[in-house]
Amino acid sequence: MNWPVRLALRLAVTSLAALPAVARAAPRQATPSLNVKSWELPNGLQVLFLEDQKAPVAAVHMFYHVGSKDEKVGIRGVAHMFEHLMSRGSDRVPPGDHARLLREAGGLSNAFTTEDVTGFQDVVPPAYVGLALELEAERMRKLHLSPAAVKAERQVVMEERRARVDSNPVTRALAAFRAAAFEGHPYEWVSIGTLDDLQHLTIGDCQRFYDSYYLPNNATVVVVGALGEDDVRRDIARFFGPLARGVVPAQVPPTRKAQLRARDTVVTASVQVPVVVAGYHIPAGGHPDIVPLKVLASVLAQGPSSRLNQRLVLRDHLALGAGGAVGAFEHPGMLVLYAVHPPDRDSRKVREALLGEVARVRTEGLTLKELERAKNQLASQFIYSLESADGLAVQLGSARYTEGDWHRLSETADRLLAVTADDIKRVADTYLVDDHLTVVTLQRPIPAAASGGNER
Amino acid sequence: MKTGAQLCRVLLLIGASCAGGQHPVDLPVVATSPDAAVPPPAVDPTAPIQPLLAVAAPEGESAAGADEADHWKARTDLIKAPARAPAAAISLPQVMRWKLKNGLDIVLVPRPELPVVSLSLAVKVGTYDEDAGSAGLAEFTASMLRQGTTTRSADDIAEIIDYAGGTLAGDSTDDHSNARCTTLSKELPLCLDLLSDVVVNPVFPEDHVGEIRDQLLAGLKNRFENPDALAAAHFANLIFGDDHPGGRVVAPERLRAITRDDLVRFWKTYYRPNNSVLAVVGAVDPAKVKAAIEERFGAWQSAPIPPRPAFVLPQRKGARLLLVDRDDAPQATVLFGHRGIRHTQPEWFPATLLNYVIGGAGAASRLMADVRTQRGLAYGISSTFGASLFDGAFEVTASTANDKVWEALMAAVNQLRAMKADGPTVEELDAGKVFFSGSYAFKMQGAEEVASAIVAAELHGLGVAYVKQFPVRMSAVGVARAKQVAQSLLRPEELVIVIVGRGDLIAPQIDKAGLKYERIHFRDPISFAERAARRKAAVDASGSTAGRDALALVKKGIEAQGGEQKLRALADLTIVKSGSREQGGATVDLVSTTYFKRPDRMRVEQTLVVPGNKTRMVFVVGPKAIRGSTGNQPLGPLPPVNQARLKEAMFEDINFILLNILDARPPIGLQPVPAVREKGRVLEGVLLKVPSGEWLTLYFDTATHLLARMKSPGEGGDDLINEIDDYRDVGGIKISHHQSSPGDKASEAIVTEVKVNQGLAPALFE
């Protein structure tokens, strides 16, 4: 466990003792090594283990290399359905008992689904790591799928889609944006799926999906905590060893349609407020340019001092809120910016101001202060995220699948701190250009259906 | 799970999804708040009321049919939890403690693993150090710390900490105020500089006093809109009373009266090293940090600290029930319980386990299993025993359908009775012990979490040993002890019960049960004593001098309008208005024509215009029916809530309200309120409770005696003020031609046309 100390030493070089008036660029340092042990079972299961004695806690996270990108039209949303179905009972675990057994051991469980990966997260006291591993191994191959469970979860997920996406103007606009920017590409739909496909999902669809992807040779188990390596090796071999390898459908890297100029789409929907979303195609999560792009997105779109907030919300009173983020995926993704504005502001002006701020970054670059602040914030947030076993496991898993290699995790802070103004200029000139741009304007129908109130 | 939630936010932002529903979408609030959005305006009388919460399938409930459940029935090979390991103490690195010469206590926990450091400075002053004269000061003072020091402006402070990628915050609780700073450990000097500066050298800049005051006032105001917060405020007032810091209500007037000098004096009195504890947790060099702390805090002057004011917990016998009526509540919120225990009492560990079994274990708790899963009576129900330095409360909260409140409440109370009689089972107790001894460590992973746990234990006099030994002490509780504590601490016979919901649906349920209760409007004062005083004044009004004075003001107002005789002779009145109102940063234009046919008919035709949208609405209020329509549809029935709103609007119309007060049966009690002097005029006020249940204050300009202002609901902070002016003579009657409301939902209307006694056709009102 000496890696964090070395990390501290490395970071110490960039210490800022006084006011941030004088900003300095961080010199590159030797990369600290995370003492992660990795091995593979004969059935293809990948294991990442990090001993972390900070607290009596153990995180067991299962990552399946399957997400909404592995769906096709007709079954959009099936990957996310498994987030729910995986708790609906397996051969030796009645419905709901996965969570109940863990809770009775003093643990908690959770799950998430992205375009590329589905994650199941258990946190337990170290003495119960065997229980968590046994439960995960059980549901990897022995899920008890029933028509009734599929039907019930379909309803729950459709409700979730309505609540999370359809009733929120921003998520709704982002979904419309995806459809425009990734037409004909599996990133075209968001992972929660579409109502149309969800309501027609059958148990056959689910069973086929499960048998294709929930396989040891398509998964990584990440274990972090106050544990000994020998015990972890023994438990993993015992519970996962007997599972048979399967055939994972070949995954052909998707390609997006070539684009010569900016795409502009107007979508009409009954939302309370209109939204403008602008996004640029960027490379895959493992590409070195993703790091400067994250710094750029932070300055442009994150927090009260971000340029979009300063300009669109505070200065010009054009928008109610503005933000954005880098969508770093396994395959080339997007840098997305958005602004939510009152209906009486002209969408074209909002769009103009938003793209104006992008243009300003390209012509003027960032101030040294903005650059250093963003780097410090991103590096700090990253380090804070390593404080818990749970956070370490999440970071290891996403480095493995989004960046393609878990070794990159230990370089994250380094690479953030090494970003220069030239890097920002270069990535802005390369990616924030018209033939990478898609703009979607989500508008209210005109005239709207009648609604109003009395005058009291 | 901080990281999980963070990850989830990022995922949601890029369009992925997360489990559970436990992660709120962290996108701009303005985007989804119907309040900030434009339109529909606040009330759409034709819209059905939607329940806020859909009932999701309870955790652990089988979605499979009965046949499916057979798969696991009578199986002996199901996966079981392994034998429970004995609880172990939390291992913290060696804890160092020392005291500076000025009395500042320091606790240092070196954690070299990660380059993060968290400082937490707690000053032993909170709401329990306030009395009626200093109420609100503890929170106000703590909120001001970041707003400027002798050498740094608020902007400087924000810029420095943001630049370093750290966090700096100040807040206060019932027993302490807290300033915290977390950064990478390389920034420890910066963190120490800022933390010591905001605590030792704050200057409370005047303009920021106003800014923070507005935030605190907004908090008071929001309480009336949030049923959970409203129920909690009423519950605390009923349990602890007005004279106790636990139940005292900080009024908006009180917050407005607090000056910069008050804050400075409060800070000077209590923010002293001999009244404070500093915890440092993280990757630091103990020797260096010791010197650095001495350098920053050594010159901080000690001073004698006044003792905490004495207060007594009112002793109550029997149950007490308050129904808080909100006629548009889509669901009811129930909060009930009784007085609790102190964190330092030996019963705290067994009580916490007991609470886990009753309502602290999510779906596995008795309350959830019975009231929600078995009976389907509640959307959610949980309980807490708290961990306060002072006498806390045992509380159960539930959200239910309006028509199921009583059934849910009775089921929950029966669970308390059963627990009091029999205690928990061994299995239940064991499950709780394992949960606490295992999961307690989850909260001890981040430096900031460790720092706040240590500070809390220090302040409560429990010491670091408490943090280390928590799992062991929890697992030492035996079933006999738990049973004994259940019997002594649970008091299902002395419950204080607060229900916030639809009075029309809930009152009959309570009446049927034959219980006595107090029913109030949701905007009524939270202080029980203040409500009692108002009621008494209103009852006295007819006979008392005060009541006669108030009535005289109303009568003078009618005289100024043109006199009772002229007003009564008015057979009909037509008023055309043109106006606008602000909503969510946009402007809604509004044109309306209102027809009155005295005494009991009204027709409103109005058109709302926002860019790209125009809506026409018509409402007709008659003695028998109240109907409405939108667009070009024929008039149709309205939901009861909206009918009530229209009736209120008719009663409270500025032209007729004074006459309506005079005519009201039963008579409306009136009481004078203190006069307001402003802008060279004096306004005399009358407080009354209109038939809708709301409190309303009417102000008359003493120069003209005309009605000049209406303020609702009478509870400040959320005042809706309507300024009434530009009175013009129309056929011998003074009619206001201009009305306006200030605030974030500002509105203004000009009267463009008035017609009297033109013999309006009866058909207009049918």
Side-chain angles (χ1 to χ4, degrees):
Chain A
M1 281 306 295
N2 64 349
W3 67 270
V5 182
R6 282 157 64 184
L7 195 61
L9 290 173
R10 185 176 46 77
L11 291 169
V13 179
T14 57
S15 175
L16 33 117
L19 283 165
V22 188
R24 291 150 301 198
R28 276 192 86 84
Q29 296 291 308
T31 298
S33 61
L34 276 155
N35 195 15
V36 175
K37 300 288 167 61
S38 75
W39 65 91
E40 187 178 324
L41 297 196
N43 60 16
L45 178 73
Q46 302 284 323
V47 185
L48 296 178
F49 168 62
L50 174 62
E51 182 177 344
D52 175 5
Q53 296 287 352
K54 281 200 302 291
V57 174
V60 172
H61 288 200
M62 283 301 311
F63 289 86
Y64 290 94
H65 191 195
V66 61
S68 57
K69 71 166 174 13
D70 302 295
E71 301 162 349
K72 53 186 189 304
V73 175
I75 57 163
R76 287 169 296 184
V78 71
H80 168 255
M81 273 281 281
F82 275 87
E83 203 181 295
H84 295 250
L85 290 171
M86 289 286 271
S87 67
R88 285 302 184 192
S90 50
D91 182 37
R92 293 188 300 138
V93 180
D97 266 23
H98 183 99
R100 187 184 62 82
L101 284 165
L102 288 175
R103 184 173 249 276
E104 286 183 9
L108 297 164
S109 53
N110 209 341
F112 67 88
T113 312
T114 73
E115 287 66 13
D116 306 313
V117 64
T118 308
F120 298 88
Q121 310 164 293
D122 306 320
V123 192
V124 288
Y128 295 95
V129 79
L131 172 66
L133 289 168
E134 184 177 14
L135 287 168
E136 289 301 347
E138 159 87 9
R139 66 182 180 179
M140 178 185 283
R141 284 310 319 137
K142 290 181 189 151
L143 196 62
H144 191 85
L145 285 169
S146 71
V150 170
K151 195 176 161 205
E153 289 308 321
R154 226 166 42 195
Q155 292 308 314
V156 172
V157 172
M158 285 165 67
E159 205 45 58
E160 193 182 335
R161 154 103 205 181
R162 287 188 195 104
R164 289 227 177 122
V165 179
D166 298 329
S167 63
N168 181 327
V170 176
T171 42
R172 193 164 174 165
L174 287 169
F177 166 81
R178 283 292 195 82
F182 283 103
E183 198 191 337
H185 182 288
Y187 288 162
E188 180 181 338
W189 53 90
V190 288
S191 67
I192 200 159
T194 66
L195 289 178
D196 228 20
D197 285 6
L198 282 170
Q199 65 186 352
H200 295 115
L201 272 185
T202 65
I203 186 166
D205 295 328
C206 294
Q207 191 69 53
R208 258 191 306 282
F209 200 79
Y210 181 69
D211 291 337
S212 303
Y213 297 105
Y214 282 73
L215 297 167
N217 47 318
N218 194 44
T220 300
V221 57
V222 183
V223 181
V224 177
L227 302 161
E229 184 181 339
D230 291 348
D231 294 342
V232 172
R233 279 187 184 270
R234 192 198 56 229
D235 280 349
I236 288 180
R238 178 177 157 207
F239 297 120
F240 290 92
L243 304 180
R245 183 188 275 274
V247 181
V248 182
Q251 302 188 351
V252 185
T255 48
R256 71 174 176 92
K257 280 188 186 167
Q259 179 181 350
L260 293 173
R261 64 184 73 83
R263 288 197 186 108
D264 241 317
T265 312
V266 175
V267 179
T268 304
S270 59
V271 288
Q272 288 164 347
V273 285
V275 185
V276 176
V277 182
Y280 296 89
H281 287 281
I282 56 172
H287 194 282
D289 285 348
I290 288 297
V291 176
L293 282 166
K294 280 185 176 167
V295 174
L296 177 55
S298 169
V299 173
L300 206 49
Q302 284 164 14
S305 60
S306 69
R307 289 193 171 188
L308 290 187
N309 190 58
Q310 291 289 329
R311 162 85 186 273
L312 275 78
V313 180
L314 300 178
R315 198 192 88 183
D316 292 356
H317 302 288
L318 277 171
L320 298 165
V326 165
F329 303 141
E330 179 182 345
H331 302 293
M334 298 294 288
L335 185 154
V336 183
L337 306 169
Y338 71 85
V340 184
H341 66 89
D344 63 344
R345 307 297 192 274
D346 186 345
S347 285
R348 282 166 305 187
K349 282 201 176 133
V350 176
R351 177 188 187 282
E352 205 176 289
L354 194 146
L355 295 179
E357 284 305 308
V358 174
R360 200 158 73 82
V361 166
R362 288 192 53 198
T363 51
E364 299 170 18
L366 309 181
T367 67
L368 196 50
K369 201 159 117 183
E370 283 176 319
L371 177 65
E372 293 302 311
R373 182 177 58 208
K375 283 158 58 174
N376 284 332
Q377 284 177 344
L378 292 172
S380 303
Q381 283 157 14
F382 170 72
I383 303 286
Y384 299 150
S385 79
L386 306 183
E387 282 197 285
S388 67
D390 206 35
L392 276 161
V394 166
Q395 295 284 8
L396 275 168
S398 23
R400 157 108 174 81
Y401 285 113
T402 307
E403 300 186 50
D405 183 356
W406 60 265
H407 290 94
R408 308 186 74 130
L409 180 59
S410 51
E411 300 162 18
T412 303
D414 243 357
R415 292 196 289 152
L416 279 165
L417 293 172
V419 171
T420 65
D422 287 346
D423 293 333
I424 299 290
K425 173 119 189 60
R426 181 176 52 75
V427 295
D429 282 342
T430 312
Y431 304 107
L432 305 193
V433 290
D434 275 359
D435 61 4
H436 283 51
L437 171 65
T438 303
V439 182
V440 169
T441 307
L442 188 67
Q443 279 183 346
R444 295 144 42 81
I446 304 172
S451 65
N454 70 1
E455 198 193 345
R456 182 157 176 259
Chain B
M1 298 280 115
K2 189 166 80 176
T3 318
Q6 279 167 355
L7 169 76
C8 219
R9 278 197 284 278
V10 175
L11 290 175
L12 285 164
L13 190 59
I14 59 175
S17 62
C18 295
Q22 61 236 50
H23 310 290
V25 179
D26 194 29
L27 295 164
V29 185
V30 286
T32 51
S33 157
D35 221 31
V38 189
V43 186
D44 175 0
T46 54
I49 307 285
Q50 293 289 338
L52 287 177
L53 255 180
V55 184
E59 183 192 334
E61 187 194 61
S62 171
D67 298 348
E68 293 296 334
D70 288 349
H71 179 84
W72 296 279
K73 216 170 170 183
R75 291 266 298 270
T76 53
D77 60 339
L78 298 180
I79 295 182
K80 289 185 189 61
R84 278 153 188 164
I90 301 277
S91 67
L92 294 173
Q94 94 276 23
V95 175
M96 305 170 65
R97 28 186 340 148
W98 68 94
K99 200 189 259 290
L100 298 193
K101 282 204 189 73
N102 59 16
L104 179 64
D105 275 315
I106 321 271
V107 183
L108 171 65
V109 185
R111 292 181 16 129
E113 295 89 349
L114 212 58
V116 175
V117 64
S118 186
L119 309 176
S120 175
L121 191 132
V123 184
K124 295 172 204 167
V125 60
T127 41
Y128 274 68
D129 294 282
E130 299 170 349
D131 55 24
S134 61
L137 279 174
E139 187 185 9
F140 209 146
T141 305
S143 311
M144 284 298 299
L145 296 177
R146 262 193 72 156
Q147 304 303 316
T149 68
T150 45
T151 53
R152 294 179 175 101
S153 70
D155 285 347
D156 288 342
I157 294 169
E159 197 175 303
I160 294 169
I161 195 68
D162 284 354
Y163 184 82
T167 60
L168 177 72
D171 54 25
S172 77
T173 70
D174 54 357
D175 64 51
H176 72 279
S177 302
N178 196 305
R180 292 179 304 278
C181 182
T182 300
T183 57
L184 293 185
S185 31
K186 71 188 168 83
E187 307 296 355
L188 173 66
L190 181 145
C191 217
L192 271 171
D193 279 347
L194 285 181
L195 191 73
S196 57
D197 200 23
V198 301
V199 171
V200 181
N201 311 308
V203 292
F204 303 93
E206 198 72 68
D207 50 338
H208 289 270
V209 171
E211 200 176 292
I212 297 294
R213 191 200 319 276
D214 288 345
Q215 284 173 20
L216 295 171
L217 284 169
L220 289 186
K221 174 175 158 176
N222 288 340
R223 195 166 56 177
F224 289 93
E225 298 304 325
N226 175 342
D228 294 326
L230 187 61
H234 278 294
F235 179 81
N237 182 261
L238 287 175
I239 290 268
F240 297 105
D242 280 301
D243 299 329
H244 188 285
R248 183 177 296 129
V249 181
V250 178
E253 293 74 36
R254 165 74 202 135
L255 275 185
R256 287 196 196 97
I258 290 175
T259 64
R260 178 179 176 276
D261 287 350
D262 295 331
L263 298 169
V264 171
R265 204 175 311 120
F266 190 82
W267 163 74
K268 270 194 179 151
T269 307
Y270 293 102
Y271 281 61
R272 295 291 180 177
N274 49 318
N275 197 34
S276 306
V277 181
L278 172 66
V280 181
V281 180
V284 295
D285 175 340
K288 276 192 190 152
V289 90
K290 206 164 175 171
I293 289 171
E294 178 64 42
E295 193 186 312
R296 266 70 162 208
F297 290 98
W300 193 11
Q301 294 288 310
S302 64
I305 307 298
R308 287 211 148 109
F311 41 81
V312 282
L313 192 64
Q315 297 295 318
R316 296 199 193 292
K317 286 275 165 239
R320 194 150 177 187
L321 177 53
L322 177 69
L323 170 57
V324 183
D325 185 1
R326 173 147 199 176
D327 63 8
D328 61 353
Q331 63 186 49
T333 301
V334 188
L335 173 52
F336 70 94
H338 51 70
R339 67 195 172 88
I341 53 169
R342 297 172 177 229
H343 195 184
T344 48
Q345 266 173 255
E347 290 91 347
W348 191 81
F349 282 96
T352 299
L353 275 173
L354 210 55
N355 179 68
Y356 181 82
V357 177
I358 297 172
S365 72
R366 283 193 184 185
L367 286 176
M368 276 290 269
D370 180 49
V371 184
R372 173 170 156 163
T373 310
Q374 277 294 318
R375 300 173 193 263
L377 291 172
Y379 303 114
I381 182 163
S382 64
S383 69
T384 163
F385 240 116
S388 171
L389 182 53
F390 309 99
D391 299 288
F394 168 69
E395 298 174 23
V396 178
T397 53
S399 47
T400 76
N402 278 297
D403 55 357
K404 295 271 191 263
V405 172
W406 200 254
E407 216 182 323
L409 179 65
M410 287 303 113
V413 171
N414 282 336
Q415 286 296 330
L416 294 194
R417 288 197 182 115
M419 182 61 87
K420 184 180 173 82
D422 305 323
T425 66
V426 176
E427 291 73 31
E428 286 173 325
L429 201 63
D430 281 353
K433 288 182 197 177
V434 176
F435 178 76
F436 279 111
S437 53
S439 65
Y440 186 69
F442 298 179
K443 291 185 229 152
M444 292 294 147
Q445 297 190 76
E448 192 166 325
E449 286 89 343
V450 173
S452 46
I454 285 178
V455 161
E458 283 293 314
L459 293 171
H460 292 189
L462 299 163
V464 175
Y466 169 91
V467 177
K468 288 186 174 177
Q469 294 298 323
F470 185 95
V472 178
R473 296 196 53 186
M474 201 55 107
S475 62
V477 176
V479 74
R481 172 74 173 140
K483 189 172 172 181
Q484 181 201 350
V485 167
Q487 272 159 8
S488 67
L489 291 187
L490 295 178
R491 302 158 185 269
E493 67 288 349
E494 317 188 341
L495 294 176
V496 166
I497 303 164
V498 177
I499 304 172
V500 181
R502 277 181 59 180
D504 59 334
L505 296 178
I506 297 169
Q509 299 172 52
I510 312 177
D511 291 338
K512 205 170 150 199
L515 263 83
K516 270 178 65 180
Y517 62 100
E518 184 190 359
R519 178 176 174 171
I520 63 171
H521 188 269
F522 80 100
R523 290 194 189 282
D524 275 359
I526 285 165
S527 159
F528 172 78
E530 191 180 338
R531 286 198 306 276
R534 280 190 181 188
R535 261 196 307 270
K536 188 166 180 299
V539 168
D540 289 350
S542 50
S544 70
T545 323
R548 279 197 297 275
D549 288 351
L551 187 63
L553 274 178
V554 171
K555 284 185 170 164
K556 266 194 228 168
I558 293 175
E559 210 50 47
Q561 271 183 291
E564 193 178 333
Q565 209 182 351
K566 274 232 164 72
L567 272 178
R568 290 204 191 281
L570 200 60
D572 64 55
L573 172 68
T574 305
I575 291 193
V576 184
K577 279 189 205 177
S578 168
S580 64
R581 82 170 139 215
E582 292 303 317
Q583 219 160 344
T587 306
V588 182
D589 288 327
L590 219 142
V591 180
S592 72
T593 306
T594 311
Y595 306 92
F596 295 93
K597 195 168 175 69
R598 296 289 296 163
D600 53 10
R601 280 162 218 265
M602 176 175 82
R603 178 189 174 94
V604 183
E605 297 171 357
Q606 66 176 24
T607 306
L608 286 101
V609 185
V610 292
N613 189 356
K614 193 168 175 176
T615 309
R616 187 181 129 92
M617 306 174 90
V618 178
F619 306 103
V620 175
V621 182
K624 288 205 186 81
I626 299 175
R627 291 139 66 82
S629 79
T630 309
N632 295 321
Q633 288 158 0
L635 289 172
L638 295 172
V641 171
N642 303 323
Q643 294 194 27
R645 290 281 143 81
L646 283 163
K647 253 184 162 155
E648 290 162 24
M650 188 158 100
F651 183 92
E652 292 166 23
D653 178 81
I654 54 171
N655 298 293
F656 297 111
I657 182 166
L658 301 183
L659 202 56
N660 288 339
I661 290 170
L662 216 58
D663 290 348
R665 291 293 173 270
I668 292 176
L670 303 170
Q671 49 188 308
V673 294
V676 177
R677 276 158 226 282
E678 57 173 38
K679 290 179 267 170
R681 63 176 184 170
V682 179
L683 300 179
E684 285 182 321
V686 173
L687 179 66
L688 63 140
K689 193 165 191 159
V690 289
S692 71
E694 278 199 6
W695 289 93
L696 202 64
T697 315
L698 306 182
Y699 286 99
F700 301 89
D701 190 327
T702 45
T704 61
H705 295 299
L706 283 165
L707 181 62
R709 175 182 296 165
M710 278 168 61
K711 190 173 93 169
S712 62
E715 173 76 16
D718 196 26
D719 294 342
L720 202 81
I721 287 172
N722 194 12
E723 303 284 3
I724 304 154
D725 47 39
D726 192 12
Y727 276 94
R728 297 184 198 174
D729 196 297
V730 180
I733 295 174
K734 292 268 193 310
I735 295 201
S736 159
H737 277 59
H738 177 253
Q739 295 109 42
S740 59
S741 295
D744 53 355
K745 284 183 191 164
S747 68
E748 185 161 21
I750 311 167
V751 173
T752 53
E753 198 179 350
V754 181
K755 286 182 199 153
V756 292
N757 292 341
Q758 43 172 357
L760 293 175
L764 205 54
F765 302 95
E766 277 159 15

